[in-house]
Amino acid sequence: MTQTLVVIGNGMVGHRLVEILRESSWRIVVFGEESRPAYDRVALSSYVDTWDSADLELAPLSGCELRLGEKAVSVDRERRVVVGASGIEVAYDALVLATGSVPFVPPVPGRDLPGCHVYRTIDDLDEIRATVAAADRPGRHSGMVLGGGLLGLEAANALRGMRVSPHVVELAPRLMPIQVDEGGAGLLKRLVEKLDLTVHTGTSASSIERDGSRLIAKLANGVELDLDVVVFSAGIRPRTDLDLGLELGPRGGYLVDAACRTADPHVFAIGECAAVEGVTYGLVAPGYAMAEVVADQISGGTRVFPGADVSTKLKLLGVDVASFGDAHATTEGALEVVVNNAVAGTYSKLVVSDDAKTLLGGVLVGDASSYPSLRPLVGKEVPAALLQPGGAVDVEMPADAQVCSCHAVTKQTITDAIGSGVACDVAELKACTKAGTGCGSCVPMLKKLLTDCGVEQSKALCEHFTCSRAELFEIARATRTTTFTALIEKHGSGRGCDICKPAVASILASLNNGHILGETQVSLQDTNDRFLANMQRNGTYSVVPRIPGGEITPEKLIVIGEVARDFGLYTKITGGQRIDLFGATVDQLPEIWRRLVDAGFESGHAYGKALRTVKSCVGTTWCRYGVQDSVGLAIDLELRYRGLRSPHKLKSAVSGCARECAEARSKDFGIIATENGWNLYVGGNGGFTPRHADLLVSDVDTETLIRTIDRFLMFYIRTADRLQRTSVWLEGLDGGLDHLREVVVDDKLGICADLEAAMEAHVGSYADEWRGVLEDPEKLARFTSFVNAPGTPDPSISFRAERGQRVPVQLGIPEVVR
Amino acid sequence: MTVVCDLALLRPEQGVAALLPDGSQVAVFLTADGTLHALDNIDPFSGAAVLSRGILGDRGGVPVVVSPVYKQAFELATGKCLDSPEVSVAVHEVRVRDGVVELT
């Protein structure tokens, strides 16, 4: 008979347990108190970037009965039944408590006043946001975060994201007292104070009072703070309000043995609500390990909790902080090796045994890049080089070293994936091991492991050019080279191929070198560009006129219909708000386009690695909900960027309100109207590996929006690899979205004026490619099936009828000469 | 013998298609060094008569044309497919006489 497992709690750890067991023979019932599906609480702070909870959601669970919004109110261990708030009773054979923890709120008078919040759930953040929005104060808002640990600094960062200047109040004499030592915390304080944070250490709040619409906090050291919002993030406590009559650990938490089993053999506890052999853990990784133990135990296994590594590596407010092993040198006789480089803003401390032979732990602030190689060496011999002043920390990592701590992926797993040939680059490693898909901080390490395993991270464009596309772009730009021949003679070898020729053609086109079918460029073009149409499977072509924003007059619609009818073309409306005309032979293309150009159409560039469409909804013009003119903006953008050549095709969309009818977040750049302006998202795509675009800037006016898109597109065009989509480019960009924002918004590299000028040059020099062909007899002459029989159609092409239109007759594959 | 066209009509690193009296088709290529090559125009992997529209280049120094459909490379001199050595397309004799390209 099927056994039933009941899991109380739908957080990250409970979710992981169900994920492991979903294909087992157990019937699984999950009680989730929150009404939303499980989400990534570790990434909670990033909710402030988009205010879209869907971004945090974990993979939906299948194979279980998920009761969201159903709080478990009691457990009858005798009858083995869990009772829900709605009165429902579920009998279990095994029960797992995964109730997590609750925020600890110190007993400060006034802590319950409106405007005081905790920092634990998505709802908490929504409430903090509402308080900030309601705050009636000119200029920047002010907030207090009580707690200067890990969570406190995260909360402070979230407040910054809401345009609030945070005061961080920490009782200990330094920030992050648990993880970081005094020297490291001193540097950390200096670094975060540069970010508009005010740090008050060695003190606490003695009271909070309401003064009109403000909150006044009095600190024990006499300082008074005038505030709009207060956030408590002074730690967490195991959540054990469900009384099962079971023993608790010394610091709270359901007491369990190494198998995560309570004194009742049918009841387990995992995650932050569990005290494993008396110890509670406030990190997700040990919780995941407990989930694995329980999954194994109830499947008849004997696995036990291996103990947890409480090392941490974080990027808090953009500052690297890492701590591992015996960070505070509590081992008897421990020695410390400290390098405190105040100029560079880096601090590192290694703790070693009294004979200086064994690494015990360490602290890194400002630069934690050596953390992945150091942490696995804890308890092992210290490489002598590490103890030299300025010693290299580039040491060999053991196989069991955890490279990706978000997904607990070891070096061994990664090198196995590389060694077996499953993964040959970072993207493939991400796909098959999940490494690098969390916070992304281990991506540089993935690259290094690929190199170490002998996978040459070649940037070479192809066998003819050793440089990358980005380098070739800069060479062509700097040397004003306008021909492939000159480029390959000076910077390459051989005659070129179907990889480098179109790449160079694209670069030359981006640098405004005239018509793409000009004498020096025509032989470089891929087949679609060469005939300015998309080659289809039978050697015929499709014709796609531009319909900016999808808006079209009845007259133009009639012309398209007439052309399609007269040339017998199959007609289909596409997902990009255009009309494709299929089945044109190469001889017919000029006649078709003459009719279209005469009617005011121009090339839609459906054939090129170029801007395709800017899709739109109807916006304020017709829609009851629209808040901006999405059609007008879509047309402006499509016309602005028409003909722009890029490493990959580019798609865009503009939605007139947050309902997102234009699906802008699946585009290379997508715009969503807000009440105050526009939000710009970049790096999305549909296709094989869909990716939601990331928010680059929000609430900007139209001018700022267009300037930012100009810079973004030109930066991408110059630096991406051949055929690299914006999504992959963005994921591979060192520093990711933050770096992109620094470059195209803050102009950190000082290149924005140049990027804008390049885009202006493109906009100013745009000319319709098809009109250019029709006006040039020499180019026109190429549009013929047979050089010795112009006008004779290709006899191998034939059509049949399907649903009233012509479709190609499947070509027989000729007998192959063997 | 079939007349293709005046040599002056061919452009270096590009191909053209010619129709033979029996209805079959030949792709004729002029490479940058002035050499002429002629292969069957039908791409054996797709059945489409499009090899003349492929990009010319070299692979490891061997002059090739790459099919525009599924991108296999065919050696210009022998018609052999470098991606699937068991497949090849027929090679035709091509020459220039009095400035005119002819297939023999």
Side-chain angles (χ1 to χ4, degrees):
Chain A
M1 206 180 89
T2 307
Q3 293 189 295
T4 300
L5 167 72
V6 172
V7 182
I8 301 180
N10 186 38
M12 295 177 80
V13 171
H15 181 274
R16 170 62 67 95
L17 174 66
V18 177
E19 206 173 47
I20 301 168
L21 286 172
R22 69 183 164 205
E23 276 166 18
S24 70
S25 58
W26 286 77
R27 168 188 172 230
I28 305 174
V29 182
V30 180
F31 283 79
E33 182 178 351
E34 285 187 75
S35 58
R36 61 178 90 242
Y39 57 89
D40 183 353
R41 201 183 305 276
V42 174
L44 183 65
S45 302
S46 70
Y47 177 54
V48 174
D49 296 338
T50 61
W51 297 107
D52 183 354
S53 58
D55 290 352
L56 292 185
E57 274 173 28
L58 299 175
L61 288 176
S62 56
C64 74
E65 295 164 40
L66 185 55
R67 301 189 175 277
L68 291 178
E70 177 83 76
K71 182 180 177 178
V73 291
S74 66
V75 176
D76 182 338
R77 288 202 283 125
E78 209 142 296
R79 290 168 50 222
R80 276 196 248 145
V81 164
V82 177
V83 183
S86 68
I88 182 179
E89 295 198 351
V90 181
Y92 63 81
D93 297 285
L95 172 65
V96 177
L97 304 165
T99 51
S101 55
V102 288
F104 167 65
V105 179
V108 183
R111 61 185 169 155
D112 297 327
L113 286 170
C116 293
H117 302 276
V118 293
Y119 189 88
R120 183 70 184 157
T121 64
I122 285 179
D123 290 341
D124 293 337
L125 261 71
D126 283 335
E127 285 168 21
I128 293 170
R129 181 195 194 192
T131 295
V132 171
D136 178 23
R137 176 201 289 263
R140 234 175 135 80
H141 295 130
S142 171
M144 174 173 76
V145 174
L146 215 65
L150 231 162
L151 200 61
L153 291 180
E154 280 218 7
N157 197 28
L159 285 183
R160 283 178 74 230
M162 294 180 229
R163 299 178 194 176
V164 174
S165 298
H167 292 265
V168 175
V169 178
E170 166 60 46
L171 184 61
R174 58 176 190 267
L175 292 173
M176 293 186 73
I178 298 174
Q179 294 89 1
V180 180
D181 66 339
E182 202 178 324
L187 174 65
L188 179 62
K189 178 165 183 264
R190 280 219 321 278
L191 293 176
V192 301
E193 280 179 340
K194 284 188 188 157
L195 302 166
D196 187 30
L197 260 72
T198 312
V199 178
H200 309 262
T201 48
T203 188
S204 61
S206 44
S207 72
I208 300 166
E209 287 162 19
R210 196 122 206 123
D211 178 12
S213 63
R214 311 276 176 78
L215 290 165
I216 305 293
K218 290 184 178 144
L219 305 190
N221 63 4
V223 172
E224 254 188 46
L225 302 174
D226 180 4
L227 305 165
D228 299 291
V229 62
V230 171
V231 177
F232 291 97
S233 53
I236 51 171
R237 296 288 181 268
R239 183 171 176 193
T240 50
D241 50 352
L242 197 61
D243 185 9
L244 285 82
L246 288 166
E247 194 182 345
L248 300 183
R251 296 187 163 204
Y254 298 108
L255 186 64
V256 294
D257 61 13
C260 295
R261 204 183 288 259
T262 65
D264 178 338
H266 298 283
V267 182
F268 299 81
I270 57 176
E272 292 173 349
C273 70
V276 188
E277 299 188 302
V279 182
T280 52
Y281 298 89
L283 296 170
V284 74
Y288 281 172
M290 293 176 216
E292 274 159 29
V293 167
V294 169
D296 183 66
Q297 288 280 345
I298 72 167
S299 308
T302 54
R303 203 193 286 193
V304 292
F305 185 64
D309 180 359
V310 291
S311 302
T312 41
K313 174 175 177 289
L314 302 146
K315 208 173 182 71
L316 281 168
L317 303 132
V319 180
D320 272 349
V321 180
S323 133
F324 54 97
D326 181 11
H328 297 302
T330 54
T331 310
E332 200 181 334
L335 306 172
E336 297 180 48
V337 183
V338 176
V339 181
N340 192 353
N341 186 341
V343 178
T346 60
Y347 174 90
S348 70
K349 177 176 85 173
L350 296 182
V351 179
V352 297
S353 59
D354 53 2
D355 57 359
K357 287 219 168 111
T358 310
L359 182 67
L360 300 175
V363 175
L364 304 165
V365 177
D367 174 13
S369 55
S370 51
Y371 170 79
S373 24
L374 285 175
R375 197 202 53 193
L377 291 177
V378 171
K380 301 190 171 119
E381 195 174 331
V382 195
L386 276 182
L387 303 178
Q388 303 305 315
V393 280
D394 189 18
V395 288
E396 176 73 14
M397 227 195 300
D400 59 352
Q402 217 173 66
V403 172
C404 170
S405 39
C406 302
H407 293 284
V409 186
T410 61
K411 176 185 168 186
Q412 184 78 55
T413 307
I414 289 164
T415 50
D416 284 350
I418 299 169
S420 62
V422 178
C424 299
D425 56 30
V426 171
E428 287 171 358
L429 277 177
K430 282 182 172 179
C432 71
T433 67
K434 283 179 102 175
T437 58
C439 69
S441 64
C442 62
V443 169
M445 184 54 70
L446 299 182
K447 286 183 186 161
K448 183 171 181 300
L449 287 176
L450 282 161
T451 311
D452 291 352
C453 290
V455 179
E456 200 179 331
Q457 293 292 286
S458 173
K459 295 184 300 179
L461 190 57
C462 65
E463 63 174 277
H464 303 103
F465 287 95
T466 54
C467 52
S468 68
R469 180 192 172 277
E471 288 164 342
L472 202 56
F473 192 105
E474 286 310 313
I475 289 169
R477 189 167 79 95
T479 60
R480 297 172 198 272
T481 307
T482 57
T483 66
F484 178 80
T485 320
L487 271 179
I488 199 164
E489 264 174 20
K490 218 164 160 198
H491 304 280
S493 64
R495 313 155 73 123
C497 64
D498 59 316
I499 294 169
C500 58
K501 282 184 169 181
V504 169
S506 166
I507 290 170
L508 296 178
S510 298
L511 292 170
N512 299 317
N513 284 293
H515 199 282
I516 68 160
L517 296 188
E519 191 64 41
T520 57
Q521 289 186 58
V522 61
S523 70
L524 311 178
Q525 303 296 351
D526 213 340
T527 183
N528 289 356
D529 286 288
R530 192 160 158 207
F531 291 96
L532 306 182
N534 293 41
M535 179 184 277
Q536 304 297 338
R537 62 186 310 155
N538 64 343
T540 64
Y541 291 88
S542 64
V543 169
V544 186
R546 179 172 304 291
I547 302 178
E551 184 184 82
I552 186 166
T553 61
E555 284 72 23
K556 279 190 162 178
L557 267 180
I558 289 167
V559 170
I560 289 182
E562 286 173 347
V563 168
R565 183 191 58 207
D566 296 352
F567 289 88
L569 304 176
Y570 169 96
T571 310
K572 187 175 191 307
I573 293 172
T574 71
Q577 302 187 331
R578 308 196 285 195
I579 300 170
D580 282 9
L581 309 170
F582 287 84
T585 62
V586 68
D587 317 74
Q588 290 174 324
L589 288 172
E591 302 168 53
I592 291 170
W593 271 105
R594 196 175 297 285
R595 294 261 299 266
L596 292 171
V597 168
D598 285 348
F601 286 103
E602 57 182 28
S603 169
H605 296 99
Y607 45 81
K609 301 300 179 211
L611 180 86
R612 296 288 171 88
T613 58
V614 183
K615 194 175 169 181
S616 69
C617 63
V618 294
T620 40
T621 314
W622 291 95
C623 176
R624 284 180 292 155
Y625 304 107
V627 294
Q628 306 277 357
D629 176 16
S630 58
V631 183
L633 181 67
I635 293 172
D636 287 350
L637 292 177
E638 185 159 340
L639 295 182
R640 181 169 183 81
Y641 303 121
R642 63 187 159 174
L644 182 68
R645 301 278 155 163
S646 59
H648 204 283
K649 64 185 171 189
L650 288 168
K651 294 182 180 181
S652 178
V654 184
S655 279
C657 78
R659 285 173 181 74
E660 246 285 69
C661 294
E663 295 158 331
R665 289 194 66 190
S666 62
K667 306 298 183 199
D668 295 281
F669 60 103
I671 297 106
I672 301 175
T674 72
E675 307 246 319
N676 308 314
W678 307 101
N679 282 356
L680 171 61
Y681 294 82
V682 296
N685 66 247
F688 190 66
T689 315
R691 180 183 193 277
H692 249 170
D694 292 319
L695 182 64
L696 186 66
V697 292
S698 51
D699 288 339
V700 293
D701 59 30
T702 309
E703 195 190 328
T704 310
L705 174 81
I706 291 177
R707 190 170 63 232
T708 311
I709 301 173
D710 282 1
R711 294 168 172 184
F712 163 74
L713 288 177
M714 211 35 95
F715 185 49
Y716 160 68
I717 287 171
R718 289 189 175 179
T719 60
D721 279 339
R722 166 187 164 268
L723 300 185
Q724 190 176 39
R725 314 186 72 128
T726 54
S727 54
V728 180
W729 170 75
L730 185 57
E731 285 188 350
L733 201 63
D734 272 344
L737 186 68
D738 288 340
H739 175 66
L740 178 65
R741 197 177 285 121
E742 285 170 356
V743 174
V744 304
V745 178
D746 308 333
D747 198 13
K748 188 185 171 190
L749 303 182
I751 60 171
C752 285
D754 190 37
L755 298 175
E756 285 172 35
M759 188 60 85
E760 282 306 330
H762 164 76
V763 174
S765 65
Y766 170 80
D768 177 35
E769 283 167 359
W770 260 107
R771 183 183 285 275
V773 169
L774 296 172
E775 289 170 352
D776 183 340
E778 204 185 331
K779 292 190 180 85
L780 265 182
R782 296 191 197 114
F783 289 82
T784 179
S785 293
F786 302 109
V787 69
N788 63 343
T792 308
D794 180 348
S796 73
I797 294 170
S798 58
F799 298 93
R800 64 189 170 81
E802 189 175 283
R803 293 184 292 275
Q805 297 207 70
R806 290 203 316 172
V807 297
V809 169
Q810 209 70 292
L811 292 168
I813 301 296
E815 196 157 322
V816 167
V817 185
R818 289 187 190 259
Chain B
M1 198 276 299
T2 304
V3 171
V4 176
C5 62
D6 284 353
L7 180 63
L9 276 180
L10 295 186
R11 292 270 172 259
E13 297 294 288
Q14 291 179 51
V16 295
L19 190 60
L20 300 190
D22 65 357
S24 65
Q25 307 177 28
V26 175
V28 180
F29 303 98
L30 177 64
T31 55
D33 60 8
T35 314
L36 279 173
H37 294 282
L39 306 177
D40 261 5
N41 194 32
I42 291 186
D43 165 26
F45 294 92
S46 64
V50 293
L51 271 196
S52 62
R53 299 175 207 168
I55 290 183
L56 295 179
D58 77 279
R59 199 178 269 188
V62 177
V64 295
V65 59
V66 177
S67 167
V69 186
Y70 300 118
K71 316 292 181 193
Q72 290 88 356
F74 295 87
E75 192 178 336
L76 288 177
T78 65
K80 198 165 101 177
C81 175
L82 298 186
D83 298 289
S84 302
E86 72 281 9
V87 177
S88 55
V89 295
V91 179
H92 299 256
E93 290 285 328
V94 59
R95 68 178 182 202
V96 181
R97 202 171 59 176
D98 300 334
V100 174
V101 180
E102 296 174 351
L103 294 167
T104 53

